[in-house]
Amino acid sequence: MKKLLNTLYITSPDIYLALDGETILIKKEEEVSTRLPLHNLENIVCFGYRGASPALMGACAKYNIGLCFLSPSGYFLARVNGKVRGNVLLRKTQYRISEDETQSTQIAANFLVGKISNCRKVLDRAVRDHALLVDTNKLSGTSQALKECMHSVLECKSINELMGFEGSAAKLYFSVFDHLILQQKDTFHFNERSRRPPLDNMNALLSFLYTLLTYEVASALETVGLDPYVGFLHQDRPGRPSLALDLMEELRPVFADRLALSMINRKQISANGFIRKESGGILMDEETRKKVISIWQERKQDNITHPFLGEKMMFGLVPYVQALLLARYLRGDLDAYPPFFWT
């Protein structure tokens, strides 16, 4: 089993990364503020523009350490890749199936079944845990509607059909999402999903968490030898990690949505950490990003029992396990791809 190592998140826009032997130097205003052993890291994510030295980039590529650059608001800029790793036969199979709509639809349907099932679980948990604070009839009715949508997904024969039901399911789920916000309602209300840019605090938080999850899933796919840019549900587009977006569908409700609600309802973050730009978009300030990342990292250390494997593991290993199960299916070792069902 893969060991869950540390991910280094650089949230300050004025940080520059360099290398000294096997040590990462974190520089601010030309002064070294921190030194970290390179071999203790699995991924490095930079929210800024100053970047990293060519020596560090080369070392990350050599030791298969993910190095990703994002804008301060969380938009993807670039990713450093070394030599292509993985089984060439596995990738050829992936590319071949991606061109076959029938086979792609079968895999994509399982991604969406996992997503809708986990969306239902988020709603059902709210009914179970906060029956006196939520509209139980509305949440239970939406959960039942999602169940019917999930059954329809299994009968789809094309990607277009799947995307139609995915859109319907998302609309149903987000129509009651505001009911799940139990604290700080005035400043973390939710009307509808908005992106590029997010137009309220809740959407800004969700978008940030989705960015972190996308990077985790892309890294997991590369680790098992799959190409994160060639998907089955999302169409190929230059610079878009389509397979990572596919695989993260089933993980969004559990990794991101549930965590966002928890942070707000427990008052771990507040609206003071969100800034409205002149364009109307919302950004998190640096301190809030650090706090969210810290909570994200803590959540990854929690222990769960994987529903398919029946093994205990850290929550942060789930993207890697799902990528591994997808690779096993593509190799012909499994009859179908088993999505992650939150229990």
Side-chain angles (χ1 to χ4, degrees), residues 11-82:
T11 59
S12 299
D14 55 349
I15 291 294
Y16 181 77
L17 301 178
L19 186 69
D20 180 15
E22 298 293 313
T23 302
I24 294 179
L25 305 181
I26 300 177
K27 295 184 175 183
K28 186 172 184 178
E29 297 178 354
E30 305 305 323
E31 296 291 329
V32 176
S33 61
T34 309
R35 295 173 178 264
L36 293 173
L38 187 65
H39 65 268
N40 285 344
L41 296 175
E42 182 179 37
N43 292 298
I44 303 171
V45 182
C46 301
F47 290 88
Y49 297 111
R50 292 207 62 197
S53 71
L56 177 59
M57 293 183 192
C60 288
K62 178 181 178 181
Y63 296 117
N64 199 27
I65 298 172
L67 178 57
C68 186
F69 298 99
L70 308 173
S71 72
S73 60
Y75 292 128
F76 176 83
L77 297 176
R79 180 181 176 87
V80 174
N81 294 311

Side-chain angles (χ1 to χ4, degrees), residues 204-309:
L205 179 57
L206 287 174
S207 292
F208 186 74
L209 291 172
Y210 290 163
T211 296
L212 296 180
L213 180 58
T214 302
Y215 182 73
E216 298 266 354
V217 173
S219 179
L221 290 167
E222 287 188 343
T223 299
V224 303
L226 290 169
D227 187 338
Y229 289 89
V230 178
F232 306 111
L233 176 65
H234 291 84
Q235 297 295 312
D236 293 344
R237 185 183 299 171
R240 182 168 78 171
S242 297
L243 186 59
L245 296 178
D246 287 356
L247 189 58
M248 71 176 280
E249 290 289 354
E250 67 200 62
L251 303 179
R252 283 190 198 212
V254 187
F255 272 79
D257 301 353
R258 175 84 173 173
L259 187 60
L261 291 167
S262 177
M263 282 189 276
I264 292 167
N265 291 336
R266 293 179 180 178
K267 298 184 179 180
Q268 292 173 297
I269 60 173
S270 71
N272 294 334
F274 292 78
I275 304 166
R276 182 174 295 277
K277 300 169 62 179
E278 291 183 2
S279 62
I282 302 292
L283 290 177
M284 280 188 285
D285 64 23
E286 183 181 342
E287 287 303 313
T288 302
R289 284 202 302 268
K290 287 181 179 179
K291 190 174 296 184
V292 170
I293 287 171
S294 176
I295 297 170
W296 169 269
Q297 291 291 77
E298 290 174 4
R299 174 59 170 142
K300 287 166 59 179
Q301 302 295 326
D302 290 348
N303 289 316
I304 65 162
T305 298
H306 192 279
F308 181 76
L309 299 179

